[in-house]
Amino acid sequence: MMNYSSRPPEEPAVHAQDLTVVRGPRTVLRGLDFTVPGGRITGLLGPSGCGKSTLMRAVVGTQAKVTGTLDVLGRPAGHPALRTRIGYVTQAPSVYDDLTVRQNLDYFAAILDPGRASADRRHEKVTRAIADVDLTTHADALAGNLSGGQRSRVSLAVALLGTPELLVLDEPTVGLDPVLRRDLWNLFHTLAAERGTTLLISSHVMDEAERCDRLLLMRAGEILADDTPDALRARTGSETVEAAFLHLVDAAITAGRTKETTR
Ligand SMILES: Nc1ncnc2c1ncn2[C@@H]1O[C@H](COP(=O)(O)OP(=O)(O)OP(=O)(O)O)[C@@H](O)[C@H]1O
Ligand SMILES: [Mg+2]
């Protein structure tokens, strides 16, 4: 793979300060400060409902009622210039069941780059994206006839079409078998290492945390830790990231109780 990214990897791809999001009557993200380093894989982990999808939507610019500072690839989140530089795969894969894998990608490639790229160039991009997610032998199968894991890989291929500098993937490995999960994580590492892509990947499966370069651990709209898996384990005296996470949750609950009683 070629390195398409022009950004130095040490520069943060995402920088948030006092990031707050209100949804309906609730504040679902509460004054978050964090950075996502460029050219690396950052895992966003935490239990269901803690705010992972909301944070990702804020980063890609589709979330309403966002306050605080949120810079993405050097621009404020949601800036129109970022649209072609970010790939986003939502939690529910959106592909057209009545089109083949290749037709789905042709369609999205045409939307991404209307009229600009030559037919040959577009064909090349589509072929590469299909190969990236290992669906070459299924390129002419109807998406409706694919397995769940294959369908989610079509969504991922769509996100890879534009050679994004930042790839935001919301629980991309849910429901996949161990072999596919491993293959996808290998792809993520290849994208980071060889194309300089920054990846922000959410999961509530803690063993996936071990595969990330950096972790943001969330709970109830707050960030409990922003660290490397090694540092996190060392700091909490834990063998696994899961144990470290539970340790931090207990500490946060105790701190909360102390605050209550001293008020
Ligand atoms: N439209 C809405 N109005 C009010 N609250 C909402 C709305 N959408 C989501 N929420 C709340 O925001 C919080 C964060 O939701 P979010 O989808 O970001 O969580 P998540 O960490 O992605 O969960 P999961 O792991 O289940 O996908 C949840 O507590 C949810 O109930
Ligand atoms: Mg979610």
Side-chain angles (χ1 to χ4, degrees):
M1 284 191 196
M2 275 171 63
N3 183 357
Y4 291 85
S5 176
S6 53
R7 294 170 52 78
E10 60 276 6
E11 206 177 299
V14 179
H15 176 70
Q17 215 173 343
D18 200 24
L19 174 69
T20 299
V21 173
V22 174
R23 293 185 89 164
R26 299 185 47 209
T27 302
V28 299
L29 299 183
R30 308 165 174 276
L32 308 188
D33 298 329
F34 63 89
T35 55
V36 173
R40 300 254 186 288
I41 300 179
T42 298
L44 179 59
L45 285 106
S48 182
C50 72
K52 302 181 295 294
S53 296
T54 306
L55 186 151
M56 292 185 142
R57 287 161 52 91
V59 168
V60 300
T62 57
Q63 179 63 49
K65 296 195 179 166
V66 179
T67 54
T69 305
L70 184 58
D71 288 324
V72 179
L73 304 173
R75 305 258 196 181
H79 192 285
L82 292 174
R83 219 175 298 155
T84 56
R85 300 172 63 195
I86 302 176
Y88 174 40
V89 182
T90 60
Q91 221 164 332
S94 43
V95 295
Y96 294 103
D97 284 346
D98 53 338
L99 299 181
T100 68
V101 171
R102 179 174 285 282
Q103 287 167 339
N104 263 286
L105 283 145
D106 281 338
Y107 172 73
F108 287 107
I111 291 179
L112 270 175
D113 201 2
R116 267 189 282 157
S118 68
D120 278 356
R121 176 83 187 103
R122 200 178 283 166
H123 182 82
E124 198 181 289
K125 275 188 171 183
V126 165
T127 302
R128 188 193 66 176
I130 294 173
D132 280 346
V133 298
D134 211 10
L135 280 178
T136 304
T137 55
H138 291 81
D140 298 315
L142 284 180
N145 293 342
L146 299 176
S147 74
Q150 290 165 339
R151 284 165 58 83
S152 61
R153 280 185 286 152
V154 177
S155 273
L156 179 58
V158 171
L160 291 174
L161 271 179
T163 319
E165 289 162 66
L166 171 64
L167 199 49
V168 177
L169 306 176
D170 201 350
E171 307 215 20
T173 60
V174 165
L176 300 188
D177 62 70
V179 176
L180 260 182
R181 283 213 297 165
R182 184 201 55 198
D183 291 350
L184 266 189
W185 277 97
N186 286 342
L187 169 63
F188 300 156
H189 281 284
T190 305
L191 289 170
E194 297 182 16
R195 286 186 198 162
T197 308
T198 303
L199 292 98
L200 179 62
I201 303 177
S202 70
S203 174
H204 56 245
V205 187
M206 286 291 167
D207 65 353
E208 303 213 303
E210 314 282 350
R211 303 174 187 262
C212 300
D213 299 312
R214 226 184 149 79
L215 296 172
L216 296 172
L217 295 190
M218 284 186 78
R219 177 182 166 268
E222 290 178 5
I223 288 185
L224 288 182
D226 174 358
D227 222 330
T228 64
D230 279 346
L232 206 64
R233 278 191 300 264
R235 181 150 70 81
T236 56
S238 312
E239 298 246 319
T240 61
V241 170
E242 178 156 7
F245 179 72
L246 294 173
H247 179 95
L248 292 170
V249 168
D250 289 343
I253 291 171
T254 309
R257 276 205 208 106
T258 313
K259 229 189 284 171
E260 290 292 321
T261 52
T262 53
R263 203 176 271 170

